[in-house]
Amino acid sequence: MEIAKTIAEMKALRRQSSGSVGFVPTMGYLHHGHLALVKQARAENSIVVVSIFVNPTQFGPSEDFRTYPCDTERDLAMLEKENTDIVFMPSAEEMYSQGFSSWVEVEKVTERLEGSYRPGHFKGVATVVAKLFNIVEPTRAYFGQKDAQQALVIQKMVADLNMNQEVIVAPTVRESDGLAMSSRNIYLNTEERQAATVLFRALSLSKQLWGKSERNAERLRQEMVSLIKKEPLAKIEYVSVADAQTLEELTEIDRTALASLVVRIGKTRLIDNMVLR
Ligand code: AMP
């Protein structure tokens, strides 16, 4: 496994690679959700590149950039075990040189949900992913359904800017009690970890009601909200039932919908979703 810390090193390794390149961008502190993407990339490509980069430009001023969990040694051991070929782990200075002033802004789909609660977040995400695509030049790039809006934003960017990547979205990997795996789960204490299952329980309820032919989106939102409110440690940021492509809130569920939510458990902000199809 090769480790590239500079853009020049990564580009040099890329030039030596032949065949298809599968790429998994991450912020590190890896878990089985990340590894599922790496395994899929491994199965579908000649070369697998994983990046570990906690991207400062996608964090708001009051968010957890400074405290984001990190264990590089453990990450590298996990990636080596998955037969990763190249790990790209640049510094923030390497990615954003002095005077950096070019940004990628995807409109509309970024204005809702995460975009409205985390202003500037998707500008940071789209910009760093565009940069990573230019540096790594992957054939296929792998993203998780857990960050459904992020996957939509990347797909839109690639289509609108005629980028050459095939974007693949893989299912959310969950703990045995349903909690979506996340690097941020490490922030939860024992009591909070128990309470955190409320996200999966609420989404499962909406899916169950939808399965019983409930097509009133507001009813699903209300049912999710009242279930979450029974959990004393949970604070709702948003609960949404939206068109799965445009993310516009639905009145009637007459097409594929995305039930999604953000709930704070103590100080930890957790995100999850389920597709109603
Ligand atoms: P992150 O390190 O949180 O930026 O995530 C890197 C990639 O892994 C993103 O495409 C995420 O959507 C994906 N990912 C994170 N958690 C999961 C999960 N539980 N299941 C599947 N993919 C995930």
Side-chain angles (χ1 to χ4, degrees):
M1 189 167 81
E2 304 269 9
I3 297 172
K5 292 195 170 172
T6 67
I7 293 166
E9 282 163 6
M10 181 61 233
K11 286 190 171 183
L13 288 169
R14 178 63 181 95
R15 274 195 299 274
Q16 292 159 21
S17 320
S18 57
S20 64
V21 174
F23 176 45
V24 183
T26 82
M27 298 205 298
Y29 210 70
L30 303 180
H31 51 66
H32 288 284
H34 298 114
L35 296 186
L37 300 178
V38 176
K39 282 180 209 289
Q40 191 176 345
R42 178 74 283 166
E44 296 175 355
N45 299 277
S46 324
I47 301 283
V48 174
V49 181
V50 177
S51 64
I52 300 176
F53 180 58
V54 183
N55 174 36
T57 67
Q58 71 187 65
F59 287 80
S62 60
E63 295 179 3
D64 58 347
F65 173 63
R66 302 254 161 243
T67 54
Y68 197 82
C70 170
D71 188 342
T72 308
E73 236 174 88
R74 180 169 151 273
D75 288 350
L76 292 177
M78 289 164 98
L79 292 175
E80 179 117 58
K81 232 174 130 190
E82 299 300 334
N83 295 317
T84 305
D85 297 291
I86 304 169
V87 182
F88 178 46
M89 33 188 304
S91 66
E93 294 71 32
E94 179 72 6
M95 288 295 274
Y96 297 101
S97 53
Q98 261 215 321
F100 181 89
S101 62
S102 304
W103 301 92
V104 179
E105 281 208 67
V106 178
E107 295 175 346
K108 292 204 177 81
V109 74
T110 54
E111 286 154 22
R112 302 168 185 282
L113 305 177
E114 287 300 277
S116 67
Y117 285 84
R118 303 181 71 186
H121 170 66
F122 287 119
K123 180 177 166 184
V125 169
T127 301
V128 82
V129 172
K131 284 168 67 66
L132 290 168
F133 283 2
N134 283 335
I135 296 163
V136 176
E137 293 188 61
T139 318
R140 302 186 182 90
Y142 296 81
F143 294 86
Q145 173 64 24
K146 170 164 177 283
D147 300 287
Q149 189 174 14
Q150 169 171 278
L152 287 173
V153 170
I154 302 302
Q155 284 170 322
K156 192 78 179 98
M157 173 183 79
V158 165
D160 285 352
L161 300 182
N162 313 104
M163 292 177 160
N164 297 317
Q165 282 66 38
E166 184 184 340
V167 175
I168 290 150
V169 184
T172 301
V173 178
R174 299 178 179 282
E175 302 285 357
S176 56
D177 62 4
L179 177 66
M181 289 193 182
S182 164
S183 308
R184 289 186 169 103
N185 292 349
I186 189 78
Y187 297 146
L188 302 167
N189 65 30
T190 314
E191 216 182 329
E192 290 170 340
R193 171 62 188 79
Q194 191 66 35
T197 58
V198 78
L199 285 88
F200 179 71
R201 286 187 276 127
L203 291 167
S204 300
L205 173 63
S206 80
K207 188 145 193 169
Q208 194 187 340
L209 292 168
W210 180 86
K212 289 184 185 157
S213 300
E214 178 59 72
R215 293 295 181 266
N216 181 330
E218 189 52 27
R219 165 100 203 282
L220 291 195
R221 286 181 212 109
Q222 279 169 5
E223 291 286 342
M224 288 194 277
V225 166
S226 48
L227 187 148
I228 298 164
K229 282 191 168 160
K230 289 188 194 134
E231 176 49 68
L233 295 179
K235 258 184 83 181
I236 297 172
E237 199 157 293
Y238 64 78
V239 169
S240 159
V241 176
D243 179 300
Q245 283 303 310
T246 65
L247 301 184
E248 278 172 291
E249 290 301 317
L250 291 173
T251 309
E252 196 198 344
I253 309 174
D254 54 1
R255 63 201 99 159
T256 304
L258 184 77
S260 69
L261 39 71
V262 166
V263 177
R264 283 184 191 271
I265 305 285
K267 286 195 171 120
T268 308
R269 185 178 188 275
L270 298 176
I271 184 169
D272 202 353
N273 69 79
M274 270 186 205
V275 178
L276 308 178
R277 175 172 27 220

